[in-house]
Amino acid sequence: MAFDSSMFGSGLGGILGGLFGDSGKPYDKAMEQYQQYANMSQQAQQPYQQAGQGAIGDYQKWLQGQQDPSGFINNLMGQYQQSPYNTYLQQQAQNAGINAASASGLTGSTPFLQQQQQNAANIGQQGMNDWLQQVLGINTQYGQGQQNLMTGGQNAANSLTNMYNQMGQQMGQAAYGKEAGKKQDFWNTIGGGLGMLTGLGFL
């Protein structure tokens, strides 16, 4: 049985590589990087997701308040108070009317009093309409804002779901690669042992 140094050396290298090599180690690094990426993405998306979840209840309450339009408007109008500016405008109109009536000798007449009442009513109605439009606009913006929060939260949740799906696939591939690396090390050890036996002339 002749000694074959090249076969023996190749076999010894295979054994050492199989025993002390770690072909699965690069996959460990990849898995660590995937996990770090997932943590960073979760931290970035979490505030939006939480804001969206928090907005659901408020948006539902807002929608419930719109189910009865008449009751909604009546409730708003019950909170209306004439502004100091509208009161000022009514006083200015009244003073102007009195001055005009005095100049023409109509002060105290029925048409003059009716005109004064109509002017005050018109100013008051305009002020109430302006107030109502502003309140309705703010109410609409509030509902839209809650809806936007929910949309942002849904988008954040979708992003996280997609990320976890992708990461799950990548982690699965990395785990498969790591296991394949371990098997490669095992077979390198077996192959190296056979090579050494061949080099020693036993096979």
Side-chain angles (χ1 to χ4, degrees):
M1 290 185 287
F3 175 73
D4 187 334
S5 61
S6 63
M7 286 294 294
F8 181 82
S10 176
L12 180 61
I15 288 178
L16 294 176
L19 291 175
F20 300 105
D22 190 355
S23 299
K25 190 171 184 179
Y27 297 100
D28 287 336
K29 289 293 183 183
M31 292 170 78
E32 288 177 10
Q33 290 178 351
Y34 293 150
Q35 190 61 53
Q36 289 176 358
Y37 169 73
N39 292 338
M40 290 172 59
S41 297
Q42 184 177 17
Q43 289 174 1
Q45 296 289 347
Q46 194 171 24
Y48 300 100
Q49 186 180 12
Q50 290 175 344
Q53 290 173 340
I56 293 174
D58 292 335
Y59 186 67
Q60 288 175 335
K61 289 178 184 177
W62 180 80
L63 286 177
Q64 289 172 356
Q66 315 301 308
Q67 289 178 342
D68 179 10
S70 299
F72 174 70
I73 295 296
N74 289 335
N75 180 56
L76 286 179
M77 296 313 299
Q79 302 174 41
Y80 173 72
Q81 292 182 349
Q82 181 168 286
S83 70
Y85 179 68
N86 265 74
T87 302
Y88 169 76
L89 291 179
Q90 288 174 334
Q91 290 173 347
Q92 291 295 99
Q94 184 178 12
N95 292 338
I98 291 173
N99 292 337
S102 296
S104 59
L106 296 175
T107 304
S109 67
T110 300
F112 167 72
L113 293 176
Q114 289 176 341
Q115 186 61 47
Q116 288 288 79
Q117 290 175 350
Q118 187 61 49
N119 289 342
N122 289 343
I123 292 172
Q125 184 66 41
Q126 185 61 51
M128 186 169 61
N129 287 340
D130 291 344
W131 175 86
L132 182 59
Q133 292 304 314
Q134 290 178 356
V135 170
L136 289 175
I138 292 171
N139 179 68
T140 300
Q141 289 178 352
Y142 173 80
Q144 186 63 52
Q146 296 302 314
Q147 189 176 40
N148 290 343
L149 283 174
M150 289 194 305
T151 300
Q154 182 64 57
N155 290 339
N158 290 341
S159 296
L160 286 173
T161 299
N162 291 336
M163 180 198 69
Y164 287 136
N165 286 338
Q166 292 175 1
M167 191 184 74
Q169 294 175 358
Q170 292 169 340
M171 294 283 277
Q173 292 172 356
Y176 176 82
K178 181 177 180 179
E179 192 61 31
K182 289 181 178 179
K183 288 181 179 179
Q184 180 181 349
D185 291 340
F186 171 77
W187 288 113
N188 283 344
T189 302
I190 298 298
L194 292 175
M196 285 182 66
L197 291 175
T198 301
L200 291 172
F202 290 109
L203 293 177

